[in-house]
Amino acid sequence: MEPTREKVDVFDTTLRDGEQSPGASMNTEQKLRVARQLATLGVDIIEAGFPIASPGDFEAVYQIATEVDGPQIAGLARAREADIARAWDAVRPNPRPRIHTFLATSDLHLQHKLKMSRAEALARAVEMVAFAASFTANVEFSPEDAARTDTTYLCEVVEAVIGAGAKVVNIPDTVGYTIPEEFSRLIRTLKERVPNIAQAVLSVHCHNDLGLAVANSLAAVKAGARQVECTINGLGERAGNAALEEVVMAIRTRPDLFPFTTHIRTEEIYRTSRLVAEMSGMMVQANKAIVGANAFAHEAGIHQDGILKHHATYEIMTPESIGLPRSAIILGKHSGRHAFLDKVIELGHQLDDAHLEAAFARFKALCDKKKYVFDEDVQAVINEVVHRPSDYYVLRFVEAHAGSELHPRATVRVWVEGEEREATAEGDGPVDAALLAIKEAVGTDTVLEAYVVKAITGGTDAQGEVTVKIAEPHPPDQMPARVISGQGANTDIIIASANAYVNALNRMESWKRQRSQTATPPRPLGTTP
Ligand code: KIV
Ligand code: ZN
């Protein structure tokens, strides 16, 4: 008989820490779609956002708490009464709401950021946990920068907040500084030295600045942590957080080392990863573990031969286990509407008739240009046609001229809220010229922060997928207030680039309009509570 395995709770913070990735902001509708899929994936807790950060953040958390069934819904709050009360108002419609409050405890943060003594911080943490507990018993406390906090003081804080009512104590490696051996020791020390530790679930929250977030989280689980905070695709501040799919698949793939279980339906991992990539505009790198395009691709002949003889020769887990169909080629020019619809459903989308019609037309056009159409191509078609932000701008026409004897030049026609505008520009290359022409037609002063192109699948007829990042004008020595990304895909790289740029401009416009309706300054993480 299978030995019973202890459960590790999966706390997903894609919609909070993940959304803090530069360029990954999502609107309420996008967050709701992600939250519903996270519920299908089977996460135990969804951290839906930081309600005091802005009315938009509050609204998204409130909607998720109201509409998403299954997981507990958490709202983040600094250790301040106003934050906590706001978080509570946002999560309270949910049957199992959680308040997650935090306060930094490392000397570095106390002295330079909070300007508080250790004693003051401890008293504040206790007071605010008790305040949160006056709303709900489901209170989580995080001593921010715990991995760089003096261990004896950390033990005191943890004991005190549990005494004040914290049911979950989360140990963040806020700056991704620790290594597995050290982090494991810290978790063991807390378990040994904090007398009331059994009254709370010990959680970890690891950042990936040294590429160790997953390794540190796993080491912590082995040492006694029973909640892991993570994000889909490893999104998150700076280098990101521990990737949910990596933590979960490591536990599942190595039961000999991890006698634990999670409630994640791993067959939903791939679908969730794609949805988050689409909604956030943050592409997944091809060689990313578990969900990258190459994660289950076998290029070398000797590997292909081995796989055909026995898949375990070069696969430690099956593509099916994460919901990735094994077949690579899926559709071609003879595929009809039915086959296309089946594929759309298999990829996790529900399209209304208008969207389906538009996506099918775009798919047929693609089949004329490409011999084989892969899952990734269909996904790109859906991204292009369906999940667009409100269309303030629509690209109607683009034509570019370039060559060894020509000065690159492009002409575009763009609909700007119903009015057609045409512009022509010269640039360093045809892509540059097309983007400059769009910029002129739209009349925007946004600046291009990044431009990335990749082939979605193999072959010279592959679709190029372009991601652009744009921001409002800012001094060159300062970071932009908000970076917005956009994506486009086409077998013609100029068209893909133009689509990506227009997509980013639409997202930027949507963000600006949302911002102008709200007077509150953006996200307050890291500011003095
Ligand atoms: O990284 C961090 O310390 C956080 C806390 C708010 C948990 O995100
Ligand atoms: Zn974090």
Side-chain angles (χ1 to χ4, degrees):
M1 216 179 68
E2 264 274 299
T4 37
R5 297 179 167 271
E6 247 189 280
K7 176 164 178 259
V8 174
D9 287 342
V10 175
F11 175 114
D12 182 277
T13 182
T14 306
L15 296 172
R16 199 279 296 170
D17 218 325
E19 213 235 354
Q20 288 173 208
S21 301
S25 55
M26 294 175 242
N27 63 29
T28 300
E29 193 195 318
Q30 291 168 324
K31 287 182 184 173
L32 259 171
R33 287 197 60 191
V34 170
R36 288 201 181 98
Q37 179 58 29
L38 289 171
T40 306
L41 179 67
V43 306
D44 299 282
I45 303 106
I46 295 176
E47 184 163 60
F50 196 170
I52 199 138
S54 73
D57 280 47
F58 177 90
E59 182 58 22
V61 179
Y62 185 85
Q63 294 281 342
I64 291 168
T66 308
E67 291 182 30
V68 176
D69 283 337
Q72 298 176 42
I73 305 297
L76 185 69
R78 289 169 298 182
R80 301 200 316 188
E81 285 193 358
D83 279 42
I84 292 169
R86 189 85 173 133
W88 173 242
D89 281 344
V91 296
R92 67 191 297 182
N94 194 262
R96 295 192 300 151
R98 178 181 291 189
I99 298 175
H100 176 194
T101 185
F102 72 98
L103 184 71
T105 48
S106 67
D107 287 339
L108 205 66
H109 280 235
L110 289 177
Q111 282 163 24
H112 299 285
K113 189 181 83 174
L114 301 179
K115 313 223 179 296
M116 274 178 153
S117 68
R118 286 186 183 180
E120 284 166 339
L122 189 140
R124 169 79 73 91
V126 166
E127 196 188 337
M128 290 303 115
V129 166
F131 181 66
S134 70
F135 297 113
T136 171
N138 193 0
V139 175
E140 169 170 339
F141 177 77
S142 291
E144 192 190 7
D145 205 19
R148 293 191 299 172
T149 297
D150 173 77
T151 305
T152 304
Y153 175 60
L154 185 66
C155 289
E156 278 172 37
V157 172
V158 170
E159 182 181 351
V161 294
I162 294 174
K167 293 288 183 288
V168 180
V169 178
N170 177 47
I171 306 301
D173 179 21
T174 303
V175 288
Y177 180 71
T178 196
I179 65 164
E181 200 188 332
E182 182 186 47
F183 201 49
S184 161
R185 198 163 49 235
L186 178 61
I187 299 301
R188 277 186 223 285
T189 304
L190 287 165
K191 289 201 69 106
E192 283 160 18
R193 285 215 229 146
V194 175
N196 55 0
I197 197 76
Q199 292 167 28
V201 174
L202 200 48
S203 166
V204 288
H205 174 113
C206 297
H207 278 270
N208 206 29
D209 299 64
L210 292 174
L212 292 171
V214 170
N216 289 335
S217 305
L218 292 171
V221 167
K222 289 200 85 171
R226 289 295 174 268
Q227 175 180 287
V228 176
E229 302 201 353
C230 41
T231 58
I232 301 295
N233 299 339
L235 286 186
E237 281 272 0
R238 307 179 310 279
N241 290 63
L244 180 150
E245 60 278 9
E246 295 178 24
V247 172
V248 167
M249 290 311 283
I251 291 176
R252 183 183 148 141
T253 307
R254 297 301 307 269
D256 51 331
L257 297 178
F258 300 107
F260 308 111
T261 178
T262 69
H263 281 183
I264 294 297
R265 295 179 194 95
T266 61
E267 307 73 33
E268 292 291 332
I269 283 180
Y270 182 70
R271 190 175 295 198
T272 314
S273 163
R274 292 298 313 186
L275 182 70
V276 168
E278 263 174 62
M279 295 296 111
S280 65
M282 298 284 284
M283 284 192 324
V284 174
Q285 80 200 44
N287 61 337
K288 161 89 177 61
I290 319 290
V291 290
N294 295 350
F296 292 93
H298 302 278
E299 190 72 18
I302 192 167
H303 286 202
Q304 288 170 354
D305 183 53
I307 285 280
L308 289 173
K309 288 178 175 145
H310 195 298
H311 75 88
T313 50
Y314 289 101
E315 269 176 11
I316 57 166
M317 57 201 142
T318 63
E320 291 85 351
S321 65
I322 63 148
L324 188 66
R326 195 171 277 276
S327 62
I329 298 165
I330 52 119
L331 298 170
K333 69 195 293 174
H334 302 297
S335 311
R337 190 181 303 267
H338 217 84
F340 181 72
L341 178 60
D342 282 352
K343 182 47 74 178
V344 168
I345 293 168
E346 186 189 313
L347 291 174
H349 301 281
Q350 283 176 326
L351 306 187
D352 60 29
D353 288 351
H355 282 143
L356 185 64
E357 204 50 49
F360 185 64
R362 170 89 177 77
F363 161 71
K364 277 296 185 192
L366 185 64
C367 291
D368 285 339
K369 297 186 195 165
K370 241 179 147 258
K371 193 162 168 204
Y372 300 121
V373 177
F374 298 82
D375 279 5
E376 291 85 346
D377 292 318
V378 175
Q379 189 67 59
V381 162
I382 295 169
N383 289 355
E384 282 257 316
V385 174
V386 186
H387 304 307
R388 286 201 299 230
S390 314
D391 283 344
Y392 304 105
Y393 314 117
V394 180
L395 184 68
R396 306 287 293 170
F397 169 87
V398 56
E399 186 176 78
H401 298 276
S404 56
E405 306 302 320
L406 286 176
H407 204 79
R409 187 183 173 84
T411 298
V412 300
R413 283 203 288 278
V414 185
W415 268 16
V416 180
E417 298 196 70
E419 175 206 340
E420 184 162 283
R421 297 191 195 161
E422 183 172 311
T424 298
E426 292 190 344
D428 290 338
V431 169
D432 188 40
L435 268 45
L436 287 172
I438 292 170
K439 190 171 179 182
E440 194 184 315
V442 167
T444 176
D445 59 355
T446 49
V447 285
L448 190 65
E449 297 284 328
Y451 172 89
V452 181
V453 60
K454 70 165 193 173
I456 299 185
T457 52
T460 50
D461 66 351
Q463 287 209 89
E465 187 174 66
V466 175
T467 299
V468 300
K469 294 191 175 179
I470 60 173
E472 290 180 308
H474 58 94
D477 57 341
Q478 278 175 30
M479 296 286 281
R482 187 73 143 211
V483 178
I484 305 253
S485 53
Q487 283 178 298
N490 199 287
T491 46
D492 182 325
I493 200 65
I494 317 264
I495 298 175
S497 305
N499 283 338
Y501 189 47
V502 170
N503 182 249
L505 290 172
N506 275 317
R507 280 173 166 236
M508 172 67 89
E509 190 57 32
S510 163
W511 173 68
K512 278 189 188 168
R513 290 183 192 208
Q514 224 179 348
R515 183 183 58 177
S516 67
Q517 284 162 12
T518 66
T520 323
R523 136 171 61 97
L525 242 197
T527 51
T528 312

